[in-house]
Amino acid sequence: ALRISSHSLKGAVRIYGATDVYDLAYRLELIGRDGSVQGAEELLDEVKEAVGRLTPLLEQFVRHHGD
């Protein structure tokens, strides 16, 4: 589940150029690929912070370019 979710997140943020989220999701994907969860919790906290920074930018984009 970790590998698949991380892979999906990677694809979703890539089109927006969110390289910080992409890189973190890639690292999570590698952890999941190894069948481990060691270190995933800390990375997940970083992902949440990075997505938190991305969200207002996406909302602003939608307000200006929506419809």
Side-chain angles (χ1 to χ4, degrees):
L2 177 62
R3 182 186 61 79
I4 294 169
S5 298
S6 300
H7 183 79
S8 296
L9 177 60
K10 239 180 31 180
V13 300
R14 185 177 187 182
I15 62 171
Y16 298 107
T19 56
D20 54 343
V21 180
Y22 179 90
D23 292 342
L24 292 166
Y26 178 70
R27 289 170 54 196
L28 274 174
E29 183 180 7
L30 292 178
I31 289 173
R33 199 178 286 170
D34 291 341
S36 171
V37 293
Q38 186 174 4
E41 188 172 347
E42 294 82 8
L43 268 178
L44 186 55
D45 288 339
E46 291 183 54
V47 168
K48 288 177 185 177
E49 288 177 24
V51 169
R53 292 188 300 271
L54 177 63
T55 301
L57 298 173
L58 292 175
E59 289 171 346
Q60 181 181 18
F61 178 84
V62 168
R63 277 195 302 276
H64 288 65
H65 303 284
D67 294 340

